Amino acid sequence: MTIDWTNFTPWSALAGGLLIGIAAGSFVLFNGRIAGISGLLGSLLEPGSEGRGEKALFLLGLLVAPLFWLLSGSLPEVEFQTGWPGLVAAGLLVGIGTRYGAGCTSGHGVCGMARLSPRSLVAVLCFMASGFATVFVLRHLLGG
Amino acid sequence: MRKLTAFAAGLLFGLGLLLAGMANPAKVLGFLDLAGAWDPSLALVMVGGIGAALLPFAWARRHERSLLGAPMQLPRKRELDRRLIVGSLVFGVGWGIAGICPGPALAILLTGQWQVLLFVLAMVAGMLLYSALERRRTH
């Protein structure tokens, strides 16, 4: 294993992580809810789910984050390396998988881990493992 | 008041994702590529996120109501079932293909890049498909 030191950004990663944790912590302290993006979005897609106002407002805050970011400077880099067939496949798998698995990197990865949930630990180990495996196959076995 | 805290929490969450580099698919794939030049940054995002959320969740576990009086809605499920495991494995494959997951996708949606629009459309389609399959299963 070689470390990519030129792209390694420990301080912004840690600081961004802290903001994410504080945001998730505030949501549970004030609203009593889990800041899991797939769960919030999936529940808004189901007619008649409870707490739609609060869920929608959390997601609205998330959506307008880049507009607030622009007040302080230019947006951080966003570089896609996947063509349209890959993006469609990835979106479908992420949509179905997070709903069956009841969470994603936010709901299981941050909130679930922080509340020491064994289910979330298993979920994180599963999506990390298949994420690592997928990149290995696409980049090193097929991409050659 | 709870509407305001919901919006503020979502906004802060999004700013955190942007600052952390989670909203850059190239960086996420750099983290998932253990066999290439590995960028460990995103491990620190999780360390920071879990670290900052530990105390609030420890408090939440011991209380029935939030600070603003909302019912505390923490998951009660305990069993490690096949849905959890297979669902998470499937999610990881999608994450590994494009390097983007639900939170970051929404946090950069308004930048208007066609890639994120397409990804979010497909993701919403996947979620609707799940809901449709669930309705068939339970009826």
Side-chain angles (χ1 to χ4, degrees), chain A residues 2 4 7 9 17 29-32 46 66 79 91 97 105 115 119 130 132 139-140, chain B residues 2 5 24 26-27 32-33 38 41 49 66-67 73 79 87 89 92 101 123 131:
Chain A
T2 50
D4 183 2
N7 284 315
T9 50
L29 284 182
F30 293 119
N31 296 71
E46 310 222 341
E79 184 199 346
T105 34
R115 60 186 189 87
R119 261 174 69 85
S130 65
F132 286 133
R139 281 199 177 173
H140 301 285
Chain B
R2 275 175 1 218
T5 55
N24 184 2
K27 192 164 182 69
L32 290 176
D33 189 7
W38 188 50
S41 307
S66 80
L67 290 173
Q73 300 189 44
E79 65 271 43
L89 287 171
C101 51
M123 178 174 80
S131 297

PDB file of all heavy atoms in Angstrom, chain A residues 2 4 7 9 17 29-32 46 66 79 91 97 105 115 119 130 132 139-140, chain B residues 2 5 24 26-27 32-33 38 41 49 66-67 73 79 87 89 92 101 123 131:
ATOM      1  N   THR A   2       0.558   2.196  -0.899  1.00  0.00           N
ATOM      2  CA  THR A   2       1.273   3.470  -0.901  1.00  0.00           C
ATOM      3  C   THR A   2       0.300   4.590  -0.563  1.00  0.00           C
ATOM      4  O   THR A   2      -0.841   4.588  -1.026  1.00  0.00           O
ATOM      5  CB  THR A   2       1.884   3.764  -2.286  1.00  0.00           C
ATOM      6  OG1 THR A   2       0.867   3.578  -3.266  1.00  0.00           O
ATOM      7  CG2 THR A   2       3.046   2.844  -2.593  1.00  0.00           C
ATOM      8  N   ASP A   4      -1.049   8.326  -0.743  1.00  0.00           N
ATOM      9  CA  ASP A   4      -1.054   9.446  -1.684  1.00  0.00           C
ATOM     10  C   ASP A   4      -0.911  10.759  -0.901  1.00  0.00           C
ATOM     11  O   ASP A   4      -1.873  11.446  -0.619  1.00  0.00           O
ATOM     12  CB  ASP A   4      -2.388   9.417  -2.462  1.00  0.00           C
ATOM     13  CG  ASP A   4      -2.453  10.510  -3.510  1.00  0.00           C
ATOM     14  OD1 ASP A   4      -1.471  11.249  -3.659  1.00  0.00           O
ATOM     15  OD2 ASP A   4      -3.506  10.597  -4.168  1.00  0.00           O
ATOM     16  N   ASN A   7      -2.415  14.282  -2.123  1.00  0.00           N
ATOM     17  CA  ASN A   7      -3.846  14.548  -2.008  1.00  0.00           C
ATOM     18  C   ASN A   7      -4.379  14.392  -0.586  1.00  0.00           C
ATOM     19  O   ASN A   7      -5.565  14.608  -0.343  1.00  0.00           O
ATOM     20  CB  ASN A   7      -4.635  13.627  -2.941  1.00  0.00           C
ATOM     21  CG  ASN A   7      -4.535  14.077  -4.384  1.00  0.00           C
ATOM     22  OD1 ASN A   7      -4.657  15.260  -4.679  1.00  0.00           O
ATOM     23  ND2 ASN A   7      -4.258  13.146  -5.275  1.00  0.00           N
ATOM     24  N   THR A   9      -5.448  15.319   2.862  1.00  0.00           N
ATOM     25  CA  THR A   9      -5.828  16.602   3.462  1.00  0.00           C
ATOM     26  C   THR A   9      -6.367  16.360   4.863  1.00  0.00           C
ATOM     27  O   THR A   9      -7.581  16.439   5.087  1.00  0.00           O
ATOM     28  CB  THR A   9      -6.921  17.285   2.620  1.00  0.00           C
ATOM     29  OG1 THR A   9      -7.963  16.312   2.377  1.00  0.00           O
ATOM     30  CG2 THR A   9      -6.387  17.782   1.296  1.00  0.00           C
ATOM     31  N   GLY A  17     -15.306  16.705   9.146  1.00  0.00           N
ATOM     32  CA  GLY A  17     -15.916  15.623   9.920  1.00  0.00           C
ATOM     33  C   GLY A  17     -16.540  16.140  11.205  1.00  0.00           C
ATOM     34  O   GLY A  17     -17.655  15.762  11.569  1.00  0.00           O
ATOM     35  N   LEU A  29     -30.201  16.152  19.243  1.00  0.00           N
ATOM     36  CA  LEU A  29     -30.443  16.864  20.505  1.00  0.00           C
ATOM     37  C   LEU A  29     -31.702  17.726  20.426  1.00  0.00           C
ATOM     38  O   LEU A  29     -32.479  17.791  21.369  1.00  0.00           O
ATOM     39  CB  LEU A  29     -29.253  17.764  20.850  1.00  0.00           C
ATOM     40  CG  LEU A  29     -27.997  17.091  21.397  1.00  0.00           C
ATOM     41  CD1 LEU A  29     -26.945  18.139  21.727  1.00  0.00           C
ATOM     42  CD2 LEU A  29     -28.311  16.249  22.623  1.00  0.00           C
ATOM     43  N   PHE A  30     -31.896  18.420  19.297  1.00  0.00           N
ATOM     44  CA  PHE A  30     -33.015  19.353  19.201  1.00  0.00           C
ATOM     45  C   PHE A  30     -34.262  18.711  18.583  1.00  0.00           C
ATOM     46  O   PHE A  30     -35.382  18.987  18.992  1.00  0.00           O
ATOM     47  CB  PHE A  30     -32.621  20.581  18.371  1.00  0.00           C
ATOM     48  CG  PHE A  30     -31.574  21.429  19.038  1.00  0.00           C
ATOM     49  CD1 PHE A  30     -30.343  21.640  18.440  1.00  0.00           C
ATOM     50  CD2 PHE A  30     -31.809  22.004  20.287  1.00  0.00           C
ATOM     51  CE1 PHE A  30     -29.373  22.416  19.064  1.00  0.00           C
ATOM     52  CE2 PHE A  30     -30.842  22.777  20.916  1.00  0.00           C
ATOM     53  CZ  PHE A  30     -29.623  22.988  20.299  1.00  0.00           C
ATOM     54  N   ASN A  31     -34.056  17.867  17.556  1.00  0.00           N
ATOM     55  CA  ASN A  31     -35.196  17.313  16.829  1.00  0.00           C
ATOM     56  C   ASN A  31     -35.470  15.843  17.154  1.00  0.00           C
ATOM     57  O   ASN A  31     -36.481  15.303  16.732  1.00  0.00           O
ATOM     58  CB  ASN A  31     -34.988  17.471  15.322  1.00  0.00           C
ATOM     59  CG  ASN A  31     -34.933  18.936  14.902  1.00  0.00           C
ATOM     60  OD1 ASN A  31     -33.959  19.622  15.204  1.00  0.00           O
ATOM     61  ND2 ASN A  31     -35.962  19.420  14.244  1.00  0.00           N
ATOM     62  N   GLY A  32     -34.553  15.220  17.863  1.00  0.00           N
ATOM     63  CA  GLY A  32     -34.746  13.818  18.222  1.00  0.00           C
ATOM     64  C   GLY A  32     -34.685  12.874  17.042  1.00  0.00           C
ATOM     65  O   GLY A  32     -35.245  11.778  17.067  1.00  0.00           O
ATOM     66  N   GLU A  46     -42.111   8.523   0.448  1.00  0.00           N
ATOM     67  CA  GLU A  46     -43.271   7.697   0.781  1.00  0.00           C
ATOM     68  C   GLU A  46     -44.406   8.602   1.221  1.00  0.00           C
ATOM     69  O   GLU A  46     -44.257   9.360   2.172  1.00  0.00           O
ATOM     70  CB  GLU A  46     -42.915   6.728   1.906  1.00  0.00           C
ATOM     71  CG  GLU A  46     -41.629   5.968   1.623  1.00  0.00           C
ATOM     72  CD  GLU A  46     -41.723   4.504   2.008  1.00  0.00           C
ATOM     73  OE1 GLU A  46     -42.611   4.167   2.800  1.00  0.00           O
ATOM     74  OE2 GLU A  46     -40.900   3.730   1.514  1.00  0.00           O
ATOM     75  N   PRO A  66     -24.020  24.672  -0.778  1.00  0.00           N
ATOM     76  CA  PRO A  66     -23.056  25.294  -1.702  1.00  0.00           C
ATOM     77  C   PRO A  66     -23.320  26.778  -1.929  1.00  0.00           C
ATOM     78  O   PRO A  66     -22.378  27.537  -2.161  1.00  0.00           O
ATOM     79  CB  PRO A  66     -23.228  24.503  -3.005  1.00  0.00           C
ATOM     80  CG  PRO A  66     -24.459  23.705  -2.859  1.00  0.00           C
ATOM     81  CD  PRO A  66     -24.706  23.522  -1.398  1.00  0.00           C
ATOM     82  N   GLU A  79     -15.011  16.536  -8.924  1.00  0.00           N
ATOM     83  CA  GLU A  79     -14.580  15.900 -10.172  1.00  0.00           C
ATOM     84  C   GLU A  79     -15.165  14.498 -10.293  1.00  0.00           C
ATOM     85  O   GLU A  79     -14.862  13.615  -9.492  1.00  0.00           O
ATOM     86  CB  GLU A  79     -13.037  15.810 -10.209  1.00  0.00           C
ATOM     87  CG  GLU A  79     -12.511  15.248 -11.515  1.00  0.00           C
ATOM     88  CD  GLU A  79     -11.073  14.733 -11.399  1.00  0.00           C
ATOM     89  OE1 GLU A  79     -10.393  15.047 -10.397  1.00  0.00           O
ATOM     90  OE2 GLU A  79     -10.654  13.989 -12.294  1.00  0.00           O
ATOM     91  N   GLY A  91     -26.329   5.136  -9.133  1.00  0.00           N
ATOM     92  CA  GLY A  91     -27.490   5.747  -8.484  1.00  0.00           C
ATOM     93  C   GLY A  91     -28.531   4.708  -8.100  1.00  0.00           C
ATOM     94  O   GLY A  91     -29.048   4.723  -6.976  1.00  0.00           O
ATOM     95  N   GLY A  97     -29.941  -0.055  -2.365  1.00  0.00           N
ATOM     96  CA  GLY A  97     -29.121  -0.619  -1.287  1.00  0.00           C
ATOM     97  C   GLY A  97     -29.295   0.108   0.031  1.00  0.00           C
ATOM     98  O   GLY A  97     -29.424  -0.524   1.084  1.00  0.00           O
ATOM     99  N   THR A 105     -23.689   6.309   4.563  1.00  0.00           N
ATOM    100  CA  THR A 105     -22.516   6.773   5.304  1.00  0.00           C
ATOM    101  C   THR A 105     -22.893   7.722   6.443  1.00  0.00           C
ATOM    102  O   THR A 105     -22.166   7.820   7.422  1.00  0.00           O
ATOM    103  CB  THR A 105     -21.563   7.499   4.337  1.00  0.00           C
ATOM    104  OG1 THR A 105     -22.343   8.179   3.359  1.00  0.00           O
ATOM    105  CG2 THR A 105     -20.661   6.520   3.621  1.00  0.00           C
ATOM    106  N   ARG A 115     -23.727   6.136  18.125  1.00  0.00           N
ATOM    107  CA  ARG A 115     -24.561   5.597  19.211  1.00  0.00           C
ATOM    108  C   ARG A 115     -24.245   4.126  19.474  1.00  0.00           C
ATOM    109  O   ARG A 115     -24.993   3.424  20.133  1.00  0.00           O
ATOM    110  CB  ARG A 115     -26.046   5.853  18.950  1.00  0.00           C
ATOM    111  CG  ARG A 115     -26.589   5.268  17.716  1.00  0.00           C
ATOM    112  CD  ARG A 115     -28.028   5.666  17.435  1.00  0.00           C
ATOM    113  NE  ARG A 115     -28.488   4.863  16.315  1.00  0.00           N
ATOM    114  CZ  ARG A 115     -29.020   3.648  16.445  1.00  0.00           C
ATOM    115  NH1 ARG A 115     -29.220   3.146  17.620  1.00  0.00           N
ATOM    116  NH2 ARG A 115     -29.358   2.961  15.386  1.00  0.00           N
ATOM    117  N   ARG A 119     -25.737  -3.005  14.641  1.00  0.00           N
ATOM    118  CA  ARG A 119     -26.267  -3.070  13.267  1.00  0.00           C
ATOM    119  C   ARG A 119     -25.518  -2.111  12.358  1.00  0.00           C
ATOM    120  O   ARG A 119     -25.171  -2.437  11.223  1.00  0.00           O
ATOM    121  CB  ARG A 119     -27.762  -2.688  13.269  1.00  0.00           C
ATOM    122  CG  ARG A 119     -28.718  -3.868  13.245  1.00  0.00           C
ATOM    123  CD  ARG A 119     -30.155  -3.403  13.388  1.00  0.00           C
ATOM    124  NE  ARG A 119     -30.655  -2.660  12.233  1.00  0.00           N
ATOM    125  CZ  ARG A 119     -31.174  -3.220  11.143  1.00  0.00           C
ATOM    126  NH1 ARG A 119     -31.253  -4.537  11.061  1.00  0.00           N
ATOM    127  NH2 ARG A 119     -31.606  -2.492  10.152  1.00  0.00           N
ATOM    128  N   SER A 130     -17.447  -3.733   0.282  1.00  0.00           N
ATOM    129  CA  SER A 130     -17.853  -3.831  -1.121  1.00  0.00           C
ATOM    130  C   SER A 130     -17.408  -2.600  -1.897  1.00  0.00           C
ATOM    131  O   SER A 130     -17.147  -2.680  -3.098  1.00  0.00           O
ATOM    132  CB  SER A 130     -19.352  -4.097  -1.250  1.00  0.00           C
ATOM    133  OG  SER A 130     -20.114  -3.020  -0.778  1.00  0.00           O
ATOM    134  N   PHE A 132     -14.475  -0.947  -1.348  1.00  0.00           N
ATOM    135  CA  PHE A 132     -13.065  -1.239  -1.646  1.00  0.00           C
ATOM    136  C   PHE A 132     -12.969  -2.275  -2.772  1.00  0.00           C
ATOM    137  O   PHE A 132     -12.190  -2.118  -3.714  1.00  0.00           O
ATOM    138  CB  PHE A 132     -12.353  -1.788  -0.401  1.00  0.00           C
ATOM    139  CG  PHE A 132     -12.053  -0.762   0.658  1.00  0.00           C
ATOM    140  CD1 PHE A 132     -12.337  -1.016   1.998  1.00  0.00           C
ATOM    141  CD2 PHE A 132     -11.473   0.459   0.335  1.00  0.00           C
ATOM    142  CE1 PHE A 132     -12.056  -0.067   2.987  1.00  0.00           C
ATOM    143  CE2 PHE A 132     -11.178   1.417   1.324  1.00  0.00           C
ATOM    144  CZ  PHE A 132     -11.481   1.145   2.648  1.00  0.00           C
ATOM    145  N   ARG A 139     -10.753  -0.665 -11.199  1.00  0.00           N
ATOM    146  CA  ARG A 139      -9.505   0.025 -11.536  1.00  0.00           C
ATOM    147  C   ARG A 139      -8.358  -0.909 -11.846  1.00  0.00           C
ATOM    148  O   ARG A 139      -7.536  -0.638 -12.719  1.00  0.00           O
ATOM    149  CB  ARG A 139      -9.068   0.923 -10.368  1.00  0.00           C
ATOM    150  CG  ARG A 139      -9.820   2.214 -10.326  1.00  0.00           C
ATOM    151  CD  ARG A 139      -9.065   3.225  -9.477  1.00  0.00           C
ATOM    152  NE  ARG A 139      -9.770   4.504  -9.506  1.00  0.00           N
ATOM    153  CZ  ARG A 139      -9.445   5.546  -8.765  1.00  0.00           C
ATOM    154  NH1 ARG A 139      -8.431   5.457  -7.923  1.00  0.00           N
ATOM    155  NH2 ARG A 139     -10.118   6.668  -8.863  1.00  0.00           N
ATOM    156  N   HIS A 140      -8.277  -2.028 -11.107  1.00  0.00           N
ATOM    157  CA  HIS A 140      -7.068  -2.844 -11.204  1.00  0.00           C
ATOM    158  C   HIS A 140      -7.270  -4.153 -11.962  1.00  0.00           C
ATOM    159  O   HIS A 140      -6.335  -4.665 -12.548  1.00  0.00           O
ATOM    160  CB  HIS A 140      -6.517  -3.113  -9.802  1.00  0.00           C
ATOM    161  CG  HIS A 140      -6.177  -1.841  -9.075  1.00  0.00           C
ATOM    162  ND1 HIS A 140      -5.064  -1.096  -9.361  1.00  0.00           N
ATOM    163  CD2 HIS A 140      -6.851  -1.163  -8.112  1.00  0.00           C
ATOM    164  CE1 HIS A 140      -5.041  -0.007  -8.584  1.00  0.00           C
ATOM    165  NE2 HIS A 140      -6.118  -0.031  -7.827  1.00  0.00           N
TER     166      HIS A 140
ATOM    167  N   ARG B   2     -38.212  23.987  15.966  1.00  0.00           N
ATOM    168  CA  ARG B   2     -37.632  22.739  15.469  1.00  0.00           C
ATOM    169  C   ARG B   2     -37.402  22.793  13.973  1.00  0.00           C
ATOM    170  O   ARG B   2     -36.517  22.113  13.443  1.00  0.00           O
ATOM    171  CB  ARG B   2     -38.523  21.558  15.845  1.00  0.00           C
ATOM    172  CG  ARG B   2     -38.178  21.115  17.234  1.00  0.00           C
ATOM    173  CD  ARG B   2     -38.978  20.050  17.887  1.00  0.00           C
ATOM    174  NE  ARG B   2     -40.056  19.415  17.253  1.00  0.00           N
ATOM    175  CZ  ARG B   2     -41.162  19.083  17.927  1.00  0.00           C
ATOM    176  NH1 ARG B   2     -41.293  19.405  19.193  1.00  0.00           N
ATOM    177  NH2 ARG B   2     -42.118  18.437  17.313  1.00  0.00           N
ATOM    178  N   THR B   5     -34.008  24.558  13.657  1.00  0.00           N
ATOM    179  CA  THR B   5     -32.854  23.712  13.989  1.00  0.00           C
ATOM    180  C   THR B   5     -32.655  22.630  12.924  1.00  0.00           C
ATOM    181  O   THR B   5     -31.519  22.254  12.634  1.00  0.00           O
ATOM    182  CB  THR B   5     -33.020  23.052  15.373  1.00  0.00           C
ATOM    183  OG1 THR B   5     -34.246  22.327  15.409  1.00  0.00           O
ATOM    184  CG2 THR B   5     -33.003  24.095  16.481  1.00  0.00           C
ATOM    185  N   ASN B  24     -16.421  15.397  -3.305  1.00  0.00           N
ATOM    186  CA  ASN B  24     -15.618  15.254  -4.517  1.00  0.00           C
ATOM    187  C   ASN B  24     -15.434  13.767  -4.840  1.00  0.00           C
ATOM    188  O   ASN B  24     -14.658  13.080  -4.185  1.00  0.00           O
ATOM    189  CB  ASN B  24     -14.256  15.921  -4.306  1.00  0.00           C
ATOM    190  CG  ASN B  24     -13.409  15.890  -5.562  1.00  0.00           C
ATOM    191  OD1 ASN B  24     -13.856  15.405  -6.607  1.00  0.00           O
ATOM    192  ND2 ASN B  24     -12.191  16.383  -5.463  1.00  0.00           N
ATOM    193  N   ALA B  26     -13.820  12.156  -7.014  1.00  0.00           N
ATOM    194  CA  ALA B  26     -12.446  11.724  -7.273  1.00  0.00           C
ATOM    195  C   ALA B  26     -11.718  11.442  -5.958  1.00  0.00           C
ATOM    196  O   ALA B  26     -10.939  10.484  -5.858  1.00  0.00           O
ATOM    197  CB  ALA B  26     -11.711  12.794  -8.074  1.00  0.00           C
ATOM    198  N   LYS B  27     -11.989  12.259  -4.938  1.00  0.00           N
ATOM    199  CA  LYS B  27     -11.331  12.067  -3.640  1.00  0.00           C
ATOM    200  C   LYS B  27     -11.863  10.826  -2.925  1.00  0.00           C
ATOM    201  O   LYS B  27     -11.113  10.079  -2.306  1.00  0.00           O
ATOM    202  CB  LYS B  27     -11.527  13.311  -2.769  1.00  0.00           C
ATOM    203  CG  LYS B  27     -10.646  13.317  -1.539  1.00  0.00           C
ATOM    204  CD  LYS B  27     -10.571  14.694  -0.918  1.00  0.00           C
ATOM    205  CE  LYS B  27      -9.653  14.720   0.299  1.00  0.00           C
ATOM    206  NZ  LYS B  27      -8.236  14.540  -0.044  1.00  0.00           N
ATOM    207  N   LEU B  32     -11.190   4.898  -1.558  1.00  0.00           N
ATOM    208  CA  LEU B  32     -11.638   3.497  -1.721  1.00  0.00           C
ATOM    209  C   LEU B  32     -10.617   2.650  -2.478  1.00  0.00           C
ATOM    210  O   LEU B  32     -10.750   1.432  -2.542  1.00  0.00           O
ATOM    211  CB  LEU B  32     -12.997   3.464  -2.443  1.00  0.00           C
ATOM    212  CG  LEU B  32     -14.186   3.993  -1.630  1.00  0.00           C
ATOM    213  CD1 LEU B  32     -15.453   4.014  -2.476  1.00  0.00           C
ATOM    214  CD2 LEU B  32     -14.401   3.142  -0.378  1.00  0.00           C
ATOM    215  N   ASP B  33      -9.603   3.296  -3.054  1.00  0.00           N
ATOM    216  CA  ASP B  33      -8.613   2.571  -3.854  1.00  0.00           C
ATOM    217  C   ASP B  33      -7.405   2.183  -2.997  1.00  0.00           C
ATOM    218  O   ASP B  33      -6.351   2.795  -3.061  1.00  0.00           O
ATOM    219  CB  ASP B  33      -8.164   3.456  -5.024  1.00  0.00           C
ATOM    220  CG  ASP B  33      -7.298   2.685  -6.007  1.00  0.00           C
ATOM    221  OD1 ASP B  33      -7.169   1.452  -5.855  1.00  0.00           O
ATOM    222  OD2 ASP B  33      -6.750   3.324  -6.921  1.00  0.00           O
ATOM    223  N   TRP B  38      -3.180   5.525  -2.129  1.00  0.00           N
ATOM    224  CA  TRP B  38      -4.309   5.622  -1.198  1.00  0.00           C
ATOM    225  C   TRP B  38      -4.338   6.967  -0.493  1.00  0.00           C
ATOM    226  O   TRP B  38      -3.342   7.393   0.095  1.00  0.00           O
ATOM    227  CB  TRP B  38      -4.243   4.491  -0.176  1.00  0.00           C
ATOM    228  CG  TRP B  38      -5.464   4.409   0.686  1.00  0.00           C
ATOM    229  CD1 TRP B  38      -6.759   4.391   0.258  1.00  0.00           C
ATOM    230  CD2 TRP B  38      -5.507   4.351   2.111  1.00  0.00           C
ATOM    231  NE1 TRP B  38      -7.613   4.310   1.327  1.00  0.00           N
ATOM    232  CE2 TRP B  38      -6.875   4.279   2.480  1.00  0.00           C
ATOM    233  CE3 TRP B  38      -4.540   4.330   3.118  1.00  0.00           C
ATOM    234  CZ2 TRP B  38      -7.287   4.211   3.804  1.00  0.00           C
ATOM    235  CZ3 TRP B  38      -4.945   4.251   4.437  1.00  0.00           C
ATOM    236  CH2 TRP B  38      -6.314   4.194   4.779  1.00  0.00           C
ATOM    237  N   SER B  41      -7.645  10.445   3.731  1.00  0.00           N
ATOM    238  CA  SER B  41      -8.362  11.597   4.323  1.00  0.00           C
ATOM    239  C   SER B  41      -9.745  11.233   4.878  1.00  0.00           C
ATOM    240  O   SER B  41     -10.116  11.667   5.967  1.00  0.00           O
ATOM    241  CB  SER B  41      -8.545  12.702   3.278  1.00  0.00           C
ATOM    242  OG  SER B  41      -7.329  13.048   2.688  1.00  0.00           O
ATOM    243  N   GLY B  49     -16.432  13.024  12.608  1.00  0.00           N
ATOM    244  CA  GLY B  49     -17.895  12.959  12.668  1.00  0.00           C
ATOM    245  C   GLY B  49     -18.383  12.128  13.840  1.00  0.00           C
ATOM    246  O   GLY B  49     -19.245  12.557  14.616  1.00  0.00           O
ATOM    247  N   SER B  66     -36.371  15.269  23.129  1.00  0.00           N
ATOM    248  CA  SER B  66     -35.252  16.130  22.749  1.00  0.00           C
ATOM    249  C   SER B  66     -35.287  17.423  23.559  1.00  0.00           C
ATOM    250  O   SER B  66     -36.227  17.673  24.304  1.00  0.00           O
ATOM    251  CB  SER B  66     -35.328  16.457  21.260  1.00  0.00           C
ATOM    252  OG  SER B  66     -36.266  17.485  21.046  1.00  0.00           O
ATOM    253  N   LEU B  67     -34.239  18.255  23.417  1.00  0.00           N
ATOM    254  CA  LEU B  67     -34.170  19.532  24.145  1.00  0.00           C
ATOM    255  C   LEU B  67     -35.346  20.431  23.796  1.00  0.00           C
ATOM    256  O   LEU B  67     -35.736  21.280  24.582  1.00  0.00           O
ATOM    257  CB  LEU B  67     -32.858  20.253  23.811  1.00  0.00           C
ATOM    258  CG  LEU B  67     -31.582  19.616  24.364  1.00  0.00           C
ATOM    259  CD1 LEU B  67     -30.350  20.324  23.814  1.00  0.00           C
ATOM    260  CD2 LEU B  67     -31.585  19.651  25.890  1.00  0.00           C
ATOM    261  N   GLN B  73     -36.422   9.717  18.476  1.00  0.00           N
ATOM    262  CA  GLN B  73     -36.704   8.625  17.535  1.00  0.00           C
ATOM    263  C   GLN B  73     -35.426   7.906  17.134  1.00  0.00           C
ATOM    264  O   GLN B  73     -34.893   8.132  16.060  1.00  0.00           O
ATOM    265  CB  GLN B  73     -37.414   9.173  16.299  1.00  0.00           C
ATOM    266  CG  GLN B  73     -38.724   9.848  16.640  1.00  0.00           C
ATOM    267  CD  GLN B  73     -39.513  10.197  15.401  1.00  0.00           C
ATOM    268  OE1 GLN B  73     -39.623   9.401  14.488  1.00  0.00           O
ATOM    269  NE2 GLN B  73     -40.053  11.394  15.356  1.00  0.00           N
ATOM    270  N   GLU B  79     -31.672  -6.903  15.319  1.00  0.00           N
ATOM    271  CA  GLU B  79     -31.193  -8.104  14.645  1.00  0.00           C
ATOM    272  C   GLU B  79     -30.352  -7.776  13.402  1.00  0.00           C
ATOM    273  O   GLU B  79     -30.607  -6.801  12.697  1.00  0.00           O
ATOM    274  CB  GLU B  79     -32.333  -9.064  14.297  1.00  0.00           C
ATOM    275  CG  GLU B  79     -33.333  -8.550  13.297  1.00  0.00           C
ATOM    276  CD  GLU B  79     -34.470  -7.798  13.957  1.00  0.00           C
ATOM    277  OE1 GLU B  79     -34.206  -6.998  14.879  1.00  0.00           O
ATOM    278  OE2 GLU B  79     -35.615  -7.984  13.544  1.00  0.00           O
ATOM    279  N   GLY B  87     -28.300  -5.239   1.619  1.00  0.00           N
ATOM    280  CA  GLY B  87     -28.535  -3.843   1.246  1.00  0.00           C
ATOM    281  C   GLY B  87     -27.259  -3.022   1.338  1.00  0.00           C
ATOM    282  O   GLY B  87     -26.928  -2.263   0.421  1.00  0.00           O
ATOM    283  N   LEU B  89     -24.152  -4.109   1.286  1.00  0.00           N
ATOM    284  CA  LEU B  89     -23.187  -4.563   0.265  1.00  0.00           C
ATOM    285  C   LEU B  89     -23.518  -3.933  -1.091  1.00  0.00           C
ATOM    286  O   LEU B  89     -22.630  -3.458  -1.808  1.00  0.00           O
ATOM    287  CB  LEU B  89     -23.193  -6.087   0.157  1.00  0.00           C
ATOM    288  CG  LEU B  89     -22.548  -6.856   1.317  1.00  0.00           C
ATOM    289  CD1 LEU B  89     -22.823  -8.356   1.194  1.00  0.00           C
ATOM    290  CD2 LEU B  89     -21.047  -6.604   1.377  1.00  0.00           C
ATOM    291  N   GLY B  92     -22.554  -0.319  -1.181  1.00  0.00           N
ATOM    292  CA  GLY B  92     -21.112  -0.143  -1.333  1.00  0.00           C
ATOM    293  C   GLY B  92     -20.648  -0.302  -2.777  1.00  0.00           C
ATOM    294  O   GLY B  92     -19.732   0.400  -3.223  1.00  0.00           O
ATOM    295  N   CYS B 101     -22.212   9.240  -2.504  1.00  0.00           N
ATOM    296  CA  CYS B 101     -23.293   8.642  -1.722  1.00  0.00           C
ATOM    297  C   CYS B 101     -24.374   9.707  -1.492  1.00  0.00           C
ATOM    298  O   CYS B 101     -24.225  10.844  -1.937  1.00  0.00           O
ATOM    299  CB  CYS B 101     -22.738   8.028  -0.431  1.00  0.00           C
ATOM    300  SG  CYS B 101     -21.707   9.139   0.536  1.00  0.00           S
ATOM    301  N   MET B 123     -30.832   7.524  -8.245  1.00  0.00           N
ATOM    302  CA  MET B 123     -30.936   7.152  -6.832  1.00  0.00           C
ATOM    303  C   MET B 123     -32.389   7.244  -6.362  1.00  0.00           C
ATOM    304  O   MET B 123     -32.893   6.339  -5.673  1.00  0.00           O
ATOM    305  CB  MET B 123     -30.044   8.072  -5.999  1.00  0.00           C
ATOM    306  CG  MET B 123     -30.099   7.827  -4.515  1.00  0.00           C
ATOM    307  SD  MET B 123     -28.885   8.834  -3.622  1.00  0.00           S
ATOM    308  CE  MET B 123     -29.737  10.407  -3.538  1.00  0.00           C
ATOM    309  N   SER B 131     -39.656   1.227  -2.528  1.00  0.00           N
ATOM    310  CA  SER B 131     -40.976   1.451  -1.918  1.00  0.00           C
ATOM    311  C   SER B 131     -42.047   0.622  -2.611  1.00  0.00           C
ATOM    312  O   SER B 131     -42.915   0.032  -1.961  1.00  0.00           O
ATOM    313  CB  SER B 131     -41.349   2.937  -2.000  1.00  0.00           C
ATOM    314  OG  SER B 131     -40.442   3.715  -1.270  1.00  0.00           O
TER     315      SER B 131
END
